[in-house]
């Protein structure tokens, strides 16, 4: 690894672009699935769009527990979305993983998505959770350990990152806290 989990101690706004180019490694049913993070969004307890905005609840407890854990939530009554918890313990902040690029185990990811392939496989937060078999049972998981690990890679050059406003939310849309790799076909909503 070019870096350590220490980068996760920063603010969500700073960590979100830093996670671009890092890997998620999922061990699942005898397969190793590897995906590169290509799109993220930052959420902080001071932000009206964040689940942690109203303080710690049973649902958001993971977000306040300290960096390097997975926060998984259920949305629209049908989809899971996953976040990397960041910042100091007691401060509710996380980075939503919006899209990943499959690097290894794409056939297994496609099978998890009932045959969906190409950029439609993981170009959205719910899609990538299905492809990687991430559900509510993984909320609170320590990303240092299998079956799902975060591998911190060298930082992506700033010139390779697009920063824009977040999407898919009703409040806090004006915050420029969405980051993605320029030109990557797995980005959910490129400009």
């Amino acid at each position: 690894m070019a870096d350590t989990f220490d980068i996760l101690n920063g603010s969500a706004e700073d960590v979100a672009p830093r996670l671009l180019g890092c890997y998620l490694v999922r061990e699942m049913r005898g397969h190793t699935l590897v995906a590169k993070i290509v799109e993220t969004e930052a959420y902080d307890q001071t932000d009206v769009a964040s689940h942690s905005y109203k303080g710690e609840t049973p649902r958001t407890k993971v977000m306040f527990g300290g960096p390097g854990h997975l926060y998984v939530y259920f949305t629209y009554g049908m989809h899971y979305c996953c976040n990397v918890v960041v910042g100091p313990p007691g401060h509710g902040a996380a980075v939503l993983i919006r899209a990943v690029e499959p690097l290894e185990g794409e056939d297994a990811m496609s099978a998890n998505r009932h045959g969906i392939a190409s950029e439609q496989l993981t170009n959205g937060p719910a899609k990538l959770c299905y492809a990687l078999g991430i559900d509510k049972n993984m909320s609170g998981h320590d990303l240092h350990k299998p079956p799902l690990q975060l591998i911190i890679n060298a930082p992506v050059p700033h010139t390779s990152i697009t920063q824009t406003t977040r999407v898919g939310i009703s409040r806090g849309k004006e915050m420029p806290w969405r980051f993605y790799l320029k030109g990557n076909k797995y980005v959910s909503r490129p400009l």
Side-chain angles (χ1 to χ4, degrees):
M1 284 190 274
D3 203 346
T4 69
F5 268 49
D6 290 346
I7 67 156
L8 302 181
N9 293 325
S11 70
E13 181 183 4
D14 290 339
V15 176
R18 180 61 184 86
L19 287 176
L20 296 175
C22 294
Y23 296 166
L24 290 175
V25 179
R26 174 76 158 109
E27 301 294 334
M28 188 175 185
R29 295 188 300 270
H31 297 280
T32 299
L33 315 178
V34 182
K36 177 171 68 174
I37 299 171
V38 299
E39 183 180 1
T40 59
E41 281 182 349
Y43 290 90
D44 182 83
Q45 70 182 31
T46 62
D47 164 25
V48 296
S50 178
H51 292 171
S52 60
Y53 181 66
K54 294 184 178 179
E56 186 176 328
T57 66
R59 178 188 189 196
T60 64
K61 183 175 183 169
V62 172
M63 290 181 76
F64 290 85
H69 290 85
L70 194 68
Y71 168 56
V72 181
Y73 65 89
F74 197 56
T75 187
Y76 301 119
M78 64 176 75
H79 301 300
Y80 292 102
C81 295
C82 69
N83 301 257
V84 175
V85 176
V86 301
H91 186 88
V95 175
L96 173 67
I97 308 302
R98 281 201 55 86
V100 298
E101 177 183 345
L103 299 178
E104 187 178 326
E106 189 169 351
D107 289 344
M109 291 184 211
S110 180
N112 291 341
R113 296 264 347 262
H114 306 290
I116 293 174
S118 71
E119 61 270 7
Q120 293 299 313
L121 180 59
T122 56
N123 68 337
K127 293 176 181 182
L128 73 90
C129 282
Y130 284 118
L132 296 175
I134 297 170
D135 62 20
K136 187 75 170 167
N137 294 322
M138 296 193 82
S139 195
H141 173 73
D142 182 347
L143 291 166
H144 284 93
K145 304 174 183 176
L148 181 65
Q149 292 178 277
L150 174 66
I151 306 300
I152 306 296
N153 290 324
V156 171
H158 181 72
T159 55
S160 299
I161 297 173
T162 296
Q163 179 177 359
T164 185
T165 54
R166 297 175 298 191
V167 295
I169 55 175
S170 57
R171 299 184 305 162
K173 293 186 288 190
E174 70 285 352
M175 298 298 290
W177 284 1
R178 180 169 74 112
F179 305 88
Y180 65 84
L181 294 181
K182 289 179 183 176
N184 189 284
K185 69 180 184 174
Y186 290 90
V187 170
S188 65
R189 294 189 195 178
L191 289 178

